Amino acid sequence: MMQTVRRMELKADQLYKQKIIRGFCHLCDGQEACCVGLEAGINPTDHLITAYRAHGFTFTRGLSVREILAELTGRRGGCAKGKGGSMHMYAKNFYGGNGIVGAQVPLGAGIALACKYNGKDEVCLTLYGDGAANQGQIFEAYNMAALWKLPCIFICENNRYGMGTSVERAAASTDYYKRGDFIPGLRVDGMDILCVREATRFAAAYCRSGKGPILMELQTYRYHGHSMSDPGVSYRTREEIQEVRSKSDPIMLLKDRMVNSNLASVEELKEIDVEVRKEIEDAAQFATADPEPPLEELGYHIYSSDPPFEVRGANQWIKFKSIS
């Protein structure tokens, strides 16, 4: 799964540079142990909401690479029918990438409230980045979650740079796992998938026991810049990126551990790589050949009812009457 996310993001990078993907695009290569490890520690019936670096989570929550890449290219076969793009993808029990920094955190607390209200033994993983960690609405959400003992795991994906600003320059305290104050916190190696999985299992069990929310800080790293418009080397050195790649790469760490423990051979891992490459190529073919949604669907899916209706401003030839 980590290899699939890695290859999918590299393919998205390529399609963006070919101008087949347009607009916003935030890649998560380097952070694969976070999305795959978190999913391994919860149930499919649990809930997850995150910010806009969401491609990996969309995949681990059950959508195919084909649906994700087609959404990135704005095609009909995309998971949001080509209308959401990189920052707005959704799946069952996955409430999407959210574009407004930190705004998904109160929403996550609300999802956790629904879990408690409905009496289901479910938790909500509410993710945000180190850049969003200084947002006031996050602390408001902490407070309500603690007061109401909501089954919410607040997770800070600390990839060390909020856009182009290092954590040291942005935060008076970089101990993000302590920010909950009255909420217990864990600091986790976000480059080690087994650490992420076990910490998630612990946090989920804590929430399910009725003790209220818990905080996790995943210390991770992104190889790309903040978005495709950011080369990512003006505020950090190429040497720094290379050092993380050579010493802490999540896929490399797991491969080495598996081979050294005789859980898999190098040949078996190579076979997986070949299969993954083929899957990504097939998905990319679909994402470039699938048609775009027709113009008349511009006003569809604004409300949950299926019949289309006319939207003011969507068609300049439609005359509108005010309804009093």
Side-chain angles (χ1 to χ4, degrees):
M1 288 182 83
M2 284 200 292
Q3 192 68 277
T4 303
V5 173
R6 172 72 54 90
R7 292 275 157 217
M8 178 175 75
E9 295 296 64
L10 294 177
K11 178 55 71 174
D13 171 79
Q14 186 185 339
L15 292 171
Y16 197 97
K17 285 169 178 166
Q18 292 170 344
K19 297 191 175 177
I20 297 168
I21 295 173
R22 309 300 289 258
F24 293 102
C25 188
H26 304 80
L27 303 179
C28 69
D29 50 318
Q31 300 183 196
E32 294 87 356
C34 296
C35 55
V36 181
L38 288 169
E39 189 62 42
I42 58 171
N43 304 322
T45 49
D46 289 321
H47 307 265
L48 192 146
I49 187 167
T50 186
Y52 40 75
R53 202 177 303 281
H55 308 162
F57 292 105
T58 313
F59 174 71
T60 56
R61 288 264 79 187
L63 288 185
S64 67
V65 178
R66 174 181 277 225
E67 289 172 293
I68 295 166
L69 286 182
E71 187 57 41
L72 288 173
T73 57
R75 308 304 169 108
R76 258 196 300 209
C79 56
K81 302 189 186 299
K83 298 178 183 180
S86 175
M87 297 167 78
H88 306 288
M89 296 184 176
Y90 308 92
K92 187 170 174 57
N93 298 330
F94 173 60
Y95 304 82
N98 291 263
I100 299 173
V101 175
Q104 71 279 6
V105 179
L107 296 179
I111 296 163
L113 174 61
C115 294
K116 184 168 184 176
Y117 185 84
N118 291 326
K120 295 182 177 176
D121 191 27
E122 296 168 358
V123 299
C124 181
L125 275 61
T126 302
L127 288 107
Y128 55 95
D130 52 278
N134 304 314
Q135 279 270 333
Q137 57 192 328
I138 290 177
F139 296 89
E140 294 175 46
Y142 287 169
N143 187 54
M144 294 179 93
L147 276 174
W148 296 343
K149 288 196 162 34
L150 302 183
C152 189
I153 308 175
F154 294 104
I155 302 167
C156 176
E157 278 187 297
N158 176 8
N159 61 25
R160 292 168 43 182
Y161 297 94
M163 294 187 75
T165 308
S166 68
V167 290
E168 291 80 15
R169 291 177 58 214
S173 167
T174 56
D175 290 336
Y176 295 104
Y177 70 108
K178 293 181 181 176
R179 292 280 189 93
D181 188 13
F182 38 79
I183 299 173
L186 310 166
R187 177 184 271 167
V188 184
D189 181 353
M191 302 301 268
D192 184 330
I193 188 168
L194 300 183
C195 285
V196 177
R197 183 188 69 184
E198 294 310 307
T200 307
R201 282 179 176 165
F202 174 86
Y206 178 92
C207 285
R208 289 190 220 281
S209 69
K211 293 176 184 168
I214 194 167
L215 202 61
M216 272 168 59
E217 176 190 345
L218 304 180
Q219 294 191 311
T220 184
Y221 198 83
R222 57 172 162 81
Y223 294 159
H224 267 86
H226 169 71
S227 69
M228 288 302 297
S229 58
D230 166 23
V233 289
S234 58
Y235 48 84
R236 57 182 186 178
T237 62
R238 292 180 195 275
E239 290 74 29
E240 178 186 299
I241 303 165
Q242 201 49 48
E243 186 179 11
V244 175
R245 279 182 181 273
S246 61
K247 292 182 180 174
S248 311
D249 184 77
I251 297 173
M252 178 195 74
L253 289 177
L254 184 64
K255 276 184 174 178
D256 290 349
R257 188 177 274 164
M258 288 169 76
V259 172
N260 295 338
S261 304
N262 294 321
L263 294 168
S265 67
V266 174
E267 288 70 31
E268 285 174 304
L269 294 171
K270 280 181 181 169
E271 281 174 29
I272 290 173
D273 293 352
V274 170
E275 283 171 28
V276 166
R277 282 174 189 266
K278 185 180 183 310
E279 182 191 354
I280 303 299
E281 284 306 321
D282 290 348
Q285 285 292 113
F286 174 77
T288 49
D290 195 48
E292 294 181 356
L295 190 61
E296 58 269 21
E297 286 188 14
L298 198 59
Y300 287 21
H301 308 110
I302 292 177
Y303 291 91
S304 60
S305 55
D306 287 330
F309 64 97
E310 292 164 349
V311 183
R312 195 179 79 189
N315 184 334
Q316 60 193 21
W317 292 280
I318 295 173
K319 298 287 179 241
F320 294 92
K321 299 181 183 130
S322 62
I323 300 167
S324 57

